[in-house]
Amino acid sequence: MATAYRSGWHFIDLATAVPHSGDSLMVTVFGEPVVVTRDEDDDVRAYRCLRRPRGAPQPVRCAIRYGMIFVNLDQRDHRLVEPEAPDVRAISATPRSA
């Protein structure tokens, strides 16, 4: 059940929480610490803080929509995709008589 809640995009905070380059914000999302920073190019980036020794921060998908910061922890693309059309072949069949 926890996996279902972890999947997808989750609201973190307003973009005004990290207004200037070099600002950062630390939040916990489903028990995982996530750091949201604004770099020199004014891009907002998010990183998962690993608890392993010598673990480098792992980038997390981050998006700003309508002035709000969202992160996606499971790294899957959650867009609606049209299903592929099944390969339908016409098969001619002759009924068998008993």
Side-chain angles (χ1 to χ4, degrees), residues 6-10 32 34 46-48 58-62 71-78:
R6 288 185 53 167
S7 65
W9 292 93
H10 300 285
E32 295 188 29
V34 175
Y47 299 94
R48 179 183 293 160
Q58 178 184 8
V60 176
R61 293 181 65 191
C62 180
V71 295
N72 186 352
L73 293 179
D74 63 359
Q75 303 296 319
R76 288 186 283 174
D77 192 10
H78 290 278

Side-chain angles (χ1 to χ4, degrees), residues 37-73:
T37 63
R38 186 175 294 268
D39 61 7
E40 295 84 21
D41 298 331
D42 279 343
D43 291 333
V44 175
R45 300 187 188 277
Y47 299 94
R48 179 183 293 160
C49 298
L50 301 178
R51 296 180 183 167
R52 289 181 262 159
R54 290 186 260 154
Q58 178 184 8
V60 176
R61 293 181 65 191
C62 180
I64 296 180
R65 297 288 182 261
Y66 307 110
M68 297 180 285
I69 302 171
F70 293 91
V71 295
N72 186 352
L73 293 179

